[in-house]
Amino acid sequence: MEVGAGKQEMLQKKSAVLVDGVILNGPIMDSKAGEKFVEEACKIIMEEIVQKADDVTEKVCEWQAPEKLKQILDLEMRDTGECHQKILQLCRDVIKYSVKTNHPRFFNQLYAGMDYYSLVARFITEALNPSVYTYEVSPVFLLVEEAVIKKMIEFIGWEEGDGIFNPGGSVSNMYAMNLARYKFCPEIKEKGLSGLPRLVLFASEECHYSMKKAASFLGIGTENVYFIKTDERGKMIPEELEKQVQRARKEGSAPFLVCATAGTTVLGAFDPLDKIADICENHGLWLHVDASWGGSALISRKHRRLLHGIHRADSVAWNPHKMLLAGIQCCALLVKDNSGLLKKCYSAEAAYLFQQDKFYDVSYDTGDKSIQCSRRPDAFKFWLMWKALGTTGLEERVNRALALARYLVEEIKKREGFQLLLEPEYANVCFWYIPPSLRKMEDGPEFWEKLHQVAPIIKERMMKKGSMMLGYQPHWGKVNFFRQVVISPQVSREDMDFLLDEIELLAKDL
Amino acid sequence: MAEPSGIGDSIPLDDPGLDIAAGEEFLQEVFQILLEEGVQKSTDVTQKVCEWKEPQELRELMDLELRSDGEGQERLLQRCRDVLRLSVRTGHPRFFNQLFSGLDHHALAGRFLTETLNTSPYTYEVAPVLVLMEEQVLAKLRELVGWSSGDGIFAPGGSMSNMLAMNVARFRRFPESRSRGNWDLPRLGLFASQESHYSILKGAALLGIGTDNVHLVRTDERGKMIPEELEKEIQRVKAEGSEPLFVCATSGTTVLGAFDPLDAIADICARHGLWLHVDAAWGGSALLSPQLRHLLAGIHRSDSVTWNPHKLLMVGLQCSAFLLRDSSGLLQRCHGVGASYLFQQDKFYDVSLDTGDKSPQCGRRADGLKLWILWKAVGTRGLGWRVERAFAATRYLLEQVKRREGFQLVMEPEFINLCFWFIPPSLQGQESSPEFWDKLGKVAPAIKEKMIRRGSMMVGYQPLGSRVNFFRQIITNPAVTRQDLDFFLDEIQELGWDL
């Protein structure tokens, strides 16, 4: 409790100042109690999350139905506060019922695991609570962001370039779309789109849904995203792209952007960047590569060929918080242009923040390149992790994840009942599990209909048991299949074996 | 064909691929350093607010280069110490530079927890607690706005929240524009006050509406939007053939802390059928104080509100709520695309809890947790009390500024922004001279440079309209005492005396 007890005492102190019933002398927050609270909370975090993170005997999740969970958690926000013990208990409850995304058997999303260095960096930034808009207010983090962007650009293969960190790959894609549009027709920034020719952009049918969301947000319209057919491996077919660009021109619309995906969300497919870049060059289109997921393969000398040709892109989205465990969020948009395009496109030159008469070189106040005003220092955790592991350490991580995926693929091929969708080229292993009862069934609509129901049931069971979490989805006419994603270095071969064993176990009676 | 890499990659896969014990040890060590250097010193008035270094010097000190090999624990620990030492202490009682400052221990614990849980609250299956919590927090904020139902989502900053409002407003009026785009829409008209936040302009550009179509409405001498001027602008814009769509009223402008008259503006919006969005990113927290909520009288009549608890409530960046009065699913219809790999409809629980599709983002941070923990610790009353304390501190400072020679108010503050000039002795009595304002404009930057180099405090300055550079003092942190405020004025005087 902050107020009350000491009030009388304080009023009697010498030259106490009372304004509107508020005493302004000493601080009213009990710092010592606060610091103790933080210490205890950190202890709980350490014991309940960090130290249990690699323990496979712990549950991945403690499933509760929503109504039940609401009761257990005491979510209500009341007029008065509660004591520290109660809050610490609430923290424990939050931890208990939260999904442990750092568990070695959490495979549900395109992020997983825990990196200690990144976590340390994140704690540091939370304690400092900076905003990365100007040098005066966050000197360290601004310079760090600059250094990280420079390094990422090196890996893409550009001599120089620009970039910024964003709250998500979706936002990076949005930035790129807007940047391409601005390059195409700078007037749009002031005049808007109404009355202009219809802009059209192209992306593979496997692209991330943020392309649609961005198109609608930007006023371009979802139907002006032309989806390009992919081959049986989920990769954009360049000839189809050429066809669509021609079609768009014939229609009288204005093609301006192609988004290639390096590492699609479901299949983990990589579009053929060189061929796509050829087409973009021919037609004068901006090439954006959404490498949110696959970008980290650039760090691996062995696997970087997946993104061959990426240096020909005009912009790249790359999320280290996915494969590199940098911590949510850590998403960069990198831009080849070095003429200040990013700034010209986004700047609003607010006089209260970006004063030109500061006593230092104001070109350091890079915040105006962003759509955001206040912004988090997301590059820092990546930087500290890189310092700790070195490029070699990060490379090992990527190689290991892909080696584990390779191991799993071989095991799946050996085991009865498991059927691969396709040979993966990255870390996404997509497969069906066909329970014994369906194995003798003939291939046909009835078979697939029944198979479609298998994954959801297994998923429900695994979550209620808390043994692991794995995503499933239907996809382009294919019924529900599992998408296994390997990321975390905590994951080992036994976890892959366990994955298959557990599915078999849970589906025994289906 | 995928290249068969084989298990003969000689990567041992049996054990985890990272040194867990070393990692945990490192974490423990840093906790210690963090508590001392980050938390304790952050709020200690005897410490410097900042450790100024020229950019080139700082680069060298930091040794920023990313190399092939990793570094040892000792070196990394030193790096952590360096970062803490060389960063600005925004939690310091004498950091007045932005619309956020201070450090709340409960929220901090919430932030540490959020980082360690490391997840995205898009679906119930992946973040059950955080999804429920976000709903709870948004409902509470809506209650304070005056809505018993509604919708909303957390966004990465007030700028984004404002843009969401713009997009939803456009979608409501022109639902087909979501798929067809803006091509065959009429030119739209957006309205905001001259004092509004620049994100309205950025939003208009991003959304393809165009910054030319943002019409900035004149404000009075207190920085408040003049309703008659808004009416005039709307008429003018209509006459030009554009279609007015959206009015953004600001509750707590960035520089002056002015509050637009919401009732009058709501009347105009109702008459013309325009969407009323209230950017209460800064001033929204006044709703927590029974004494101050009148500043936002009429806010319940709006269609949407932006409110950033990371400003006045010290919850930590970022925490920005986009609140919507509509409860018909407008937000979902506007932004949702139903990605089948994430928002499957055949899940075994009620999928209406998979609220992530309402956002234009996919992955998102769980910004609700820190606010929830803070609220649990301090209660609505405790938060309201904080706002009142900030206000009282401003009033105290105001009285001092009026009394002291050399300090001149820009205007009587309505809220917590105290704007004033410091007129050094060399310029006092020279108000009528032609170079007076020119010279005065150079004073604040010079004082700012000195205070930063000294590390004694930080306060912002800016020009505004025809007014030359003045200081904008913001007191949000309840740890700020009367002594800090006296020091503030003393320091400006001392640093500016011989200018």
Side-chain angles (χ1 to χ4, degrees):
Chain A
M1 291 291 277
E2 295 179 338
V3 192
K7 200 166 178 177
Q8 279 309 307
E9 226 180 271
M10 292 185 83
L11 266 173
Q12 273 143 28
K13 269 188 174 173
K14 218 172 141 189
S15 58
V17 167
L18 189 65
V19 180
D20 295 346
V22 174
I23 295 167
L24 291 179
N25 276 39
I28 44 70
M29 289 189 338
D30 186 345
S31 299
K32 287 277 158 269
E35 283 158 23
K36 180 136 196 305
F37 176 77
V38 172
E39 236 176 310
E40 310 242 316
C42 287
K43 215 157 144 268
I44 294 175
I45 288 172
M46 194 68 194
E47 285 163 9
E48 298 300 320
I49 309 179
V50 181
Q51 280 163 357
K52 290 185 177 176
D54 59 313
D55 187 352
V56 293
T57 66
E58 293 284 329
K59 289 168 105 171
V60 179
C61 56
E62 189 71 53
W63 169 261
Q64 295 292 337
E67 285 316 306
K68 184 85 196 298
L69 190 55
K70 277 185 193 156
Q71 287 165 12
I72 297 174
L73 285 176
D74 180 29
L75 289 168
E76 197 192 334
M77 292 140 78
R78 304 185 180 89
D79 276 350
T80 50
E82 321 222 28
C83 68
H84 281 175
Q85 278 322 305
K86 185 70 170 43
I87 313 286
L88 290 171
Q89 184 52 47
L90 286 172
C91 290
R92 274 194 233 284
D93 291 340
V94 167
I95 294 172
K96 178 168 178 198
Y97 295 102
S98 285
V99 169
K100 306 296 182 292
T101 65
N102 29 53
H103 194 286
R105 288 158 189 187
F106 175 80
F107 307 115
N108 216 57
Q109 311 293 150
L110 296 184
Y111 60 85
M114 172 188 292
D115 178 273
Y116 299 94
Y117 305 102
S118 144
L119 190 59
V120 156
R122 287 180 273 154
F123 281 17
I124 291 174
T125 55
E126 291 307 325
L128 287 169
N129 196 42
S131 178
V132 189
Y133 25 42
T134 59
Y135 184 82
E136 70 182 70
V137 136
S138 64
V140 169
F141 299 114
L142 219 119
L143 292 184
V144 164
E145 183 175 63
E146 195 187 60
V148 173
I149 286 174
K150 194 153 161 270
K151 192 72 179 176
M152 291 172 89
I153 281 174
E154 231 177 82
F155 276 85
I156 292 172
W158 298 332
E159 294 263 328
E160 45 176 29
D162 201 348
I164 196 152
F165 272 79
N166 294 315
S170 298
V171 179
S172 291
N173 287 339
M174 216 183 262
Y175 262 83
M177 203 182 279
N178 191 39
L179 204 57
R181 176 173 67 178
Y182 179 78
K183 178 90 194 279
F184 184 81
C185 180
E187 286 187 350
I188 291 178
K189 181 175 176 181
E190 285 100 36
K191 305 247 178 291
L193 292 170
S194 71
L196 284 190
R198 192 169 54 96
L199 287 176
V200 159
L201 64 117
F202 309 87
S204 105
E205 54 187 12
E206 296 281 324
C207 74
H208 188 258
Y209 71 86
S210 56
M211 293 310 287
K212 266 179 134 176
K213 290 205 178 195
S216 118
F217 205 74
L218 265 55
I220 291 173
T222 56
E223 62 185 42
N224 296 311
V225 181
Y226 289 7
F227 293 106
I228 311 298
K229 290 213 196 79
T230 54
D231 63 18
E232 70 289 352
R233 306 213 58 217
K235 299 151 98 69
M236 192 196 282
I237 301 170
E239 293 76 20
E240 289 293 322
L241 172 61
E242 176 67 38
K243 260 200 227 154
Q244 289 294 324
V245 175
Q246 301 281 10
R247 169 192 151 207
R249 289 218 191 282
K250 273 209 197 82
E251 287 170 348
S253 62
F256 77 108
L257 165 70
V258 174
C259 172
T261 314
T264 57
T265 315
V266 178
L267 302 178
F270 286 70
D271 288 342
L273 300 179
D274 275 303
K275 293 221 176 85
I276 292 170
D278 288 339
I279 296 173
C280 289
E281 260 170 39
N282 276 351
H283 292 280
L285 306 175
W286 181 289
L287 173 57
H288 171 64
V289 177
D290 180 2
S292 298
W293 173 219
S296 300
L298 287 170
I299 304 230
S300 156
R301 282 165 291 187
K302 185 173 157 75
H303 296 286
R304 50 178 298 128
R305 57 175 172 72
L306 289 167
L307 295 105
H308 193 275
I310 196 174
H311 64 283
R312 299 176 65 191
D314 294 293
S315 58
V316 175
W318 176 356
N319 291 8
H321 73 224
K322 289 182 154 68
M323 179 60 91
L324 298 177
L325 278 76
I328 289 167
Q329 282 167 314
C330 189
C331 314
L333 174 74
L334 290 335
V335 179
K336 189 169 17 181
D337 171 281
N338 204 33
S339 73
L341 187 67
L342 202 50
K343 177 133 197 258
K344 281 186 234 149
C345 177
Y346 287 108
S347 153
E349 290 169 351
Y352 78 92
L353 196 52
F354 303 108
Q355 300 85 335
Q356 297 299 297
D357 57 2
K358 293 189 187 180
F359 66 97
Y360 59 88
D361 178 1
V362 294
S363 68
Y364 282 99
D365 288 351
T366 48
D368 214 12
K369 287 196 276 192
S370 175
I371 312 175
Q372 296 181 281
C373 177
S374 69
R375 206 160 57 93
R376 291 177 53 86
D378 289 330
F380 177 65
K381 53 206 179 200
F382 189 32
W383 181 84
L384 193 67
M385 193 173 75
W386 202 315
K387 278 294 194 185
L389 299 175
T391 314
T392 342
L394 292 175
E395 180 185 46
E396 271 164 22
R397 225 169 241 196
V398 177
N399 289 348
R400 187 200 161 81
L402 297 188
L404 268 169
R406 173 63 24 208
Y407 171 80
L408 184 64
V409 166
E410 296 309 312
E411 287 302 301
I412 283 176
K413 286 178 174 169
K414 287 182 206 160
R415 287 207 198 196
E416 209 193 327
F418 288 90
Q419 187 179 315
L420 264 189
L421 236 87
L422 56 77
E423 196 76 26
E425 48 178 348
Y426 196 48
N428 308 40
V429 180
C430 297
F431 63 93
W432 287 286
Y433 178 66
I434 305 165
S437 67
L438 290 183
R439 282 177 210 169
K440 293 289 188 292
M441 214 185 196
E442 249 181 60
D443 193 339
E446 205 197 326
F447 168 75
W448 291 107
E449 211 190 288
K450 287 210 153 102
L451 186 58
H452 185 66
Q453 291 159 36
V454 169
I457 296 174
I458 297 177
K459 177 75 181 271
E460 176 178 356
R461 290 177 180 185
M462 72 172 73
M463 283 196 65
K464 289 186 171 167
K465 189 176 174 186
S467 54
M468 64 185 191
M469 277 183 73
L470 181 60
Y472 73 83
Q473 62 283 301
H475 197 66
W476 289 115
K478 299 198 163 73
V479 306
N480 281 332
F481 56 89
F482 286 111
R483 175 194 70 174
Q484 162 63 339
V485 181
V486 189
I487 295 171
S488 169
Q490 279 108 333
V491 174
S492 66
R493 193 194 61 117
E494 283 95 342
D495 299 308
M496 298 294 93
D497 294 337
F498 174 83
L499 171 72
L500 302 178
D501 292 339
E502 184 73 355
I503 289 181
E504 275 171 352
L505 183 62
L506 293 172
K508 229 171 22 181
D509 61 340
L510 284 182
Chain B
M1 257 217 351
E3 194 189 71
S5 46
I7 325 294
D9 279 356
S10 54
I11 296 180
L13 296 178
D14 285 336
D15 300 311
L18 82 177
D19 189 344
I20 290 168
E24 284 179 16
E25 196 195 313
F26 183 68
L27 192 56
Q28 294 277 37
E29 297 235 36
V30 174
F31 266 146
Q32 265 319 109
I33 297 175
L34 205 54
L35 280 168
E36 288 157 17
E37 303 290 323
V39 182
Q40 283 162 13
K41 281 198 180 165
S42 234
T43 52
D44 181 350
V45 134
T46 66
Q47 298 290 322
K48 287 167 100 168
V49 178
C50 57
E51 188 74 51
W52 171 260
K53 299 275 178 236
E54 295 292 326
Q56 198 40 43
E57 195 193 340
L58 186 57
R59 272 209 192 94
E60 282 156 28
L61 277 169
M62 294 280 308
D63 174 34
L64 294 166
E65 197 194 335
L66 296 169
R67 304 184 179 92
S68 237
D69 295 316
E71 298 177 341
Q73 302 278 57
E74 276 318 304
R75 183 78 185 91
L76 292 169
L77 285 171
Q78 187 51 46
R79 285 194 182 282
C80 293
R81 284 197 194 89
D82 290 342
V83 168
L84 288 164
R85 185 174 54 93
L86 295 165
S87 291
V88 171
R89 297 185 195 282
T90 66
H92 196 287
R94 291 164 189 184
F95 176 80
F96 305 114
N97 217 57
Q98 313 292 151
L99 296 182
F100 69 88
S101 67
L103 185 142
D104 178 273
H105 299 93
H106 309 102
L108 182 62
R111 305 204 290 276
F112 285 175
L113 188 49
T114 307
E115 291 305 322
T116 323
L117 288 173
N118 195 46
T119 194
S120 181
Y122 27 41
T123 60
Y124 183 82
E125 74 181 70
V126 120
V129 173
L130 301 170
V131 162
L132 293 184
M133 204 175 265
E134 184 172 87
E135 292 304 301
Q136 186 82 17
V137 174
L138 291 171
K140 190 71 182 178
L141 296 176
R142 283 194 298 264
E143 200 189 293
L144 288 159
V145 165
W147 299 333
S148 56
S149 61
D151 205 345
I153 199 140
F154 277 94
S159 297
M160 197 57 160
S161 292
N162 287 341
M163 294 182 200
L164 292 183
M166 232 179 255
N167 195 34
V168 177
R170 174 175 59 182
F171 174 75
R172 191 177 71 172
R173 175 80 64 87
F174 304 104
E176 340 75 54
S177 69
R178 190 187 115 127
S179 51
R180 292 174 56 86
N182 274 13
W183 319 104
D184 42 14
L185 290 189
R187 266 182 69 183
L188 300 174
L190 311 175
F191 305 84
S193 94
Q194 277 171 339
E195 300 283 318
S196 62
H197 190 258
Y198 69 86
S199 55
I200 303 298
L201 287 165
K202 288 206 177 191
L206 186 66
L207 265 60
I209 294 174
T211 55
D212 284 353
N213 297 313
V214 176
H215 306 280
L216 297 177
V217 179
R218 277 181 40 212
T219 53
D220 62 20
E221 70 290 350
R222 305 214 60 213
K224 298 150 97 72
M225 193 196 280
I226 302 171
E228 294 76 24
E229 290 294 322
L230 172 61
E231 175 69 42
K232 263 202 225 153
E233 273 299 292
I234 292 172
Q235 301 287 8
R236 185 184 67 79
V237 158
K238 266 186 172 158
E240 283 175 359
S242 297
E243 189 167 324
L245 171 75
F246 173 92
V247 173
C248 173
T250 315
S251 293
T253 57
T254 315
V255 179
L256 299 178
F259 285 70
D260 289 342
L262 299 180
D263 268 309
I265 293 171
D267 288 339
I268 295 175
C269 290
R271 222 180 10 258
H272 292 278
L274 307 184
W275 183 284
L276 175 56
H277 173 66
V278 177
D279 179 2
W282 173 221
S285 300
L287 289 170
L288 289 157
S289 155
Q291 184 196 341
L292 292 167
R293 49 177 303 129
H294 68 93
L295 290 168
L296 297 104
I299 194 173
H300 63 284
R301 298 177 61 191
S302 66
D303 294 293
S304 57
V305 173
T306 295
W307 179 350
N308 290 9
H310 71 225
K311 288 180 155 66
L312 202 47
L313 302 181
M314 291 201 310
V315 136
L317 266 52
Q318 285 171 311
C319 189
S320 174
F322 170 65
L323 305 171
L324 196 58
R325 180 155 57 136
D326 171 277
S327 48
S328 77
L330 184 63
L331 196 53
Q332 171 67 32
R333 290 196 303 278
C334 178
H335 294 131
V337 298
S340 59
Y341 78 92
L342 194 53
F343 302 108
Q344 302 84 335
Q345 297 300 295
D346 56 2
K347 292 189 189 180
F348 64 99
Y349 59 88
D350 176 6
V351 294
S352 70
L353 284 161
D354 288 353
T355 49
D357 209 14
K358 291 196 259 185
S359 171
Q361 294 181 278
C362 174
R364 228 169 22 107
R365 290 177 51 84
D367 289 328
L369 175 55
K370 54 202 178 197
L371 179 56
W372 183 82
I373 292 203
L374 171 61
W375 211 302
K376 279 294 202 186
V378 154
T380 317
R381 278 208 228 119
L383 292 175
W385 190 88
R386 275 190 193 182
V387 176
E388 280 161 16
R389 189 178 194 286
F391 190 71
T394 309
R395 294 269 301 282
Y396 170 78
L397 196 62
L398 173 66
E399 292 313 306
Q400 298 305 309
V401 160
K402 283 178 169 171
R403 276 188 219 157
R404 288 205 194 199
E405 214 186 308
F407 287 88
Q408 186 178 315
L409 263 191
V410 170
M411 68 160 226
E412 195 82 21
E414 196 177 359
F415 195 44
I416 289 168
N417 308 41
L418 185 60
C419 298
F420 63 92
W421 287 285
F422 175 69
I423 305 170
S426 69
L427 288 181
Q428 277 170 31
Q430 304 206 16
E431 285 79 352
S432 48
S433 105
E435 315 95 34
F436 173 77
W437 291 106
D438 211 44
K439 285 185 173 167
L440 186 59
K442 300 192 164 74
V443 169
I447 294 178
K448 177 79 179 268
E449 175 176 0
K450 288 186 180 188
M451 72 174 70
I452 287 186
R453 287 187 187 279
R454 205 186 243 196
S456 53
M457 64 188 198
M458 279 180 76
V459 64
Y461 72 82
Q462 65 285 299
L464 186 67
S466 57
R467 295 165 171 133
V468 304
N469 284 329
F470 55 89
F471 287 111
R472 175 195 69 169
Q473 166 65 327
I474 307 276
I475 309 160
T476 56
N477 186 356
V480 170
T481 64
R482 194 199 71 143
Q483 286 88 335
D484 296 314
L485 300 175
D486 291 339
F487 172 84
F488 171 70
L489 297 176
D490 291 340
E491 186 75 351
I492 290 194
Q493 240 170 307
E494 190 193 312
L495 295 174
W497 202 251
D498 56 350
L499 288 178

